[in-house]
Amino acid sequence: MVDALETAPRLAHQDLGAQVLQAWLDNAARVFYLCPLSVSVPRPGSAAAPARGGVPVLFPQFADQGVLPKHGLVRTAHWRLLQDTAAQGARQLRYELDMKPQDDANWPHAARLSLQVKSKLDELVFVLRVSNTGDQSFNWTGGLHPYFAVRDVLTSSAAGLAGLGVQDRYDTDLRSQPPGDLCWTAQPFERLYEACPPVTLDAGGYSLRLSASGFDQWMVWNPGAAGARALADLPAGDWRRFVCVEPVCVTRPVLLAPGGNV
């Protein structure tokens, strides 16, 4: 008898941060970059730090825009795996995390997070839900931080962003995305877009159609040659093997009243 998990699309994941480490579409193509210095398929509870790559979850703070650790509190928390099943050619995961007011003095709120992932041979869907389970309203920023694998970022491109308003970390005079496809050089790149329309990522040899709902901005990031040298967990030259196109809420924090959810 053949187990359904053996015939469904494959997913590698860990309970630390509810982090999907890798996904294979068509049972062959790797969707995400995963740093070879990271443990590729750790057992639940075994990882000591988030892996560089895959799809980290960012909550309740994006990056360093606040007093919390960079990208918030949930990347280093052990989530509960509630589902890992396969049926009708699809693989489904579901993780859950309860946050309590006493967990961090700088964010004294109660929240429940749920991450659902559904993988088919030609489609990968992530659903992040946030519920306010406490008696006080709270604001949050964050999102998902996928490291999409590309053959070479220097020959990759993204379509669908032209004309959008931007905030660029390295070019503060830039106000909108120039016409044409977005391409990258060896320079560090970090650009926050003011909307979240569908994007087509040409990864070299294949393309990915990216879309999001609920989030209202894209963050696009690659450390470039110089930025990569400052990352101890990134091998030399591996900055060329990925680009991050992240569905996020940053400049417009999400307000959740008690009992509210998104």
Side-chain angles (χ1 to χ4, degrees), residues 19-238:
Q19 188 173 1
V20 170
L21 302 172
Q22 191 55 269
W24 292 263
L25 297 183
D26 295 329
N27 286 328
R30 294 173 182 258
V31 179
F32 303 115
Y33 169 81
L34 179 63
C35 175
L37 302 180
S38 302
V39 177
S40 58
V41 189
R43 295 183 178 180
S46 66
R52 169 76 64 183
V55 188
V57 178
L58 318 179
F59 181 90
Q61 173 186 295
F62 180 81
D64 54 3
Q65 299 186 18
V67 299
L68 298 176
K70 187 173 183 179
H71 288 321
L73 304 171
V74 304
R75 291 190 312 145
T76 53
H78 289 280
W79 296 48
R80 297 186 302 277
L81 177 62
L82 301 182
Q83 180 183 12
D84 184 357
T85 59
Q88 300 179 338
R91 178 83 172 268
Q92 296 191 68
L93 301 176
R94 184 160 68 94
Y95 278 98
E96 192 172 85
L97 177 69
D98 285 313
M99 304 177 70
K100 298 179 174 55
Q102 61 268 28
D103 290 344
D104 193 292
N106 290 312
W107 202 77
H109 301 289
R112 172 169 291 173
L113 275 64
S114 171
L115 180 72
Q116 296 177 296
V117 184
K118 185 174 184 178
S119 176
K120 297 181 179 180
L121 291 180
D122 61 352
E123 184 180 50
L124 186 61
V125 177
F126 285 73
V127 179
L128 177 66
R129 300 190 184 280
V130 180
S131 301
N132 184 342
T133 56
D135 56 9
Q136 296 182 7
S137 298
F138 62 75
N139 289 303
W140 66 271
T141 59
L144 301 175
H145 193 318
Y147 286 69
F148 290 108
V150 297
R151 183 174 296 172
D152 186 342
V153 73
L154 299 180
T155 58
S156 300
S157 62
L161 298 168
L164 295 183
V166 300
Q167 298 177 38
D168 190 295
R169 179 175 180 178
Y170 302 103
D171 184 357
T172 56
D173 293 329
L174 186 68
R175 292 291 180 265
S176 65
Q177 178 65 34
D181 292 350
L182 171 62
C183 299
W184 295 276
T185 68
Q187 298 301 312
F189 189 96
E190 185 174 321
R191 191 170 292 174
L192 180 65
Y193 291 83
E194 288 306 309
C196 198
V199 170
T200 299
L201 175 63
D202 181 349
Y206 65 94
S207 62
L208 296 172
R209 177 76 166 171
L210 312 178
S211 63
S213 62
F215 300 104
D216 61 0
Q217 296 179 280
W218 289 118
M219 167 63 81
V220 180
W221 175 75
N222 179 275
R229 287 194 287 270
L231 300 175
D233 60 347
L234 190 65
D238 268 25

